[in-house]
Amino acid sequence: MKKSKIFWGYAVLALVIYAVVQALITTGTIDMYYKNMLITMCINIMLAVSLHIVIGITGQFSIGHAGFLAVGAYISAIITTKLMLPFPLAIFLGALAAAVAGLIVGMPTLRLKGDYLAIATLGFAEIIRIVFLNTDYVGGAAGMQVKYLSTWTYAFVGVVLTILVIANFTNSRHGRACISIREDEIAADAMGINTTYYKVVAFAIGSFFAGLAGAIFAHNFYIIQPTTFGFLKSFDILIYVVLGGLGSLSGSVIAAIFLTVVSTYLANFPETRMIIYSLVLIFVMLYRPTGLMGTKEITHLFKFGKKGGTK
């Protein structure tokens, strides 16, 4: 009963946020500049949360998330631009293609650990980028023109769906199995947990939602280019998770929102943006080595306050 009340409380809060922002967009209070920032924020939240399940929950160091973003972006763009199919179908198929790509790369590489896994996933992302770079069907190096179809509604629904699925997965017995792998893979394997299976499942789920973000990302601009999905994009996504706190879903969301706002306002000064990124990371690592939220969620703060008030 308590969990049901919490769920419906979050559902009502999400609906209120959506309705307020949608009303502001409809009335013109929020112009195209801030609307684009909100959609970009939602995309970054989806990317941060989808990588959170791989690194923060399962403890697998992947730095090839931009590859899955690219798969979702290009597949969805082909479906809407070349095949003239509906955008919702393109989003789903783009996400599904990214999940399949996650399975393909996850099965052989997730037997690796640490630096070896990071190098393998980075190599995969670069292979994907080079393939699109040399494919004339999608414009090659010049890029691919895409219809502008992304809206606040699509972006917000994508965020809610991503958080809902990954939060429920984390709180399930499958999520606890993934956490046990993060804490001690050898002990988890000794207890009978199929470590490779759970790592691949988490990787596929993360890839699916990265592809979903890629579909919305592609249709939020009029052109997509392979250079957009380079290894620096993977590091940007990694920064969201590390800054928020490895193991904290709400920390990833907070970090994605914060860095999106900073990045948007410093878009005309890319050198300054990277300096600020570096300073923020150094500051966090010095004073909060586990990130802004560590492994805790924002709901833990309210529980702490409630407990303190009863004393």
Side-chain angles (χ1 to χ4, degrees), residues 120-288:
T121 53
L122 179 62
F124 164 77
E126 285 300 294
I127 289 171
I128 291 294
R129 186 181 66 83
I130 295 300
V131 168
F132 288 130
L133 183 68
N134 292 281
T135 303
D136 293 334
Y137 184 71
V138 293
M144 181 180 183
Q145 291 187 345
V146 185
K147 297 178 180 178
Y148 181 79
L149 298 172
S150 294
T151 63
W152 160 247
T153 300
Y154 283 118
F156 187 79
V157 170
V159 167
V160 171
L161 184 63
T162 303
I163 293 176
L164 184 64
V165 170
I166 291 180
N168 278 280
F169 177 85
T170 303
N171 293 324
S172 69
R173 66 184 183 88
H174 304 292
R176 289 192 292 272
C178 290
I179 293 172
S180 70
I181 294 171
R182 179 192 70 190
E183 296 300 323
D184 194 325
E185 186 172 343
I186 296 175
D189 188 56
M191 292 298 293
I193 294 173
N194 190 336
T195 56
T196 302
Y197 168 78
Y198 280 109
K199 286 192 288 185
V200 171
V201 168
F203 205 72
I205 293 174
S207 302
F208 179 89
F209 288 107
L212 184 110
I216 298 173
F217 174 86
H219 294 83
N220 192 42
F221 303 97
Y222 292 99
I223 188 171
I224 52 174
Q225 295 175 304
T227 53
T228 307
F229 308 102
F231 69 91
L232 289 177
K233 185 64 179 178
S234 293
F235 283 112
D236 279 345
I237 303 169
L238 179 63
I239 286 172
Y240 300 147
V241 180
V242 174
L243 179 63
L246 293 175
S248 174
L249 188 149
S250 53
S252 297
V253 172
I254 292 169
I257 293 172
F258 171 69
L259 291 179
T260 300
V261 172
V262 171
S263 180
T264 300
Y265 283 110
L266 296 176
N268 296 325
F269 309 97
E271 294 83 4
T272 306
R273 180 175 69 92
M274 295 310 298
I275 291 173
I276 290 177
Y277 269 18
S278 301
L279 290 175
V280 167
L281 285 175
I282 292 171
F283 180 81
V284 170
M285 291 302 102
L286 286 174
Y287 295 98
R288 292 286 298 176

Side-chain angles (χ1 to χ4, degrees), residues 285-303:
M285 291 302 102
L286 286 174
Y287 295 98
R288 292 286 298 176
T290 57
L292 295 175
M293 297 294 296
T295 57
K296 296 181 179 180
E297 301 297 339
I298 197 168
T299 51
H300 293 169
L301 301 178
F302 301 117
K303 291 178 181 178

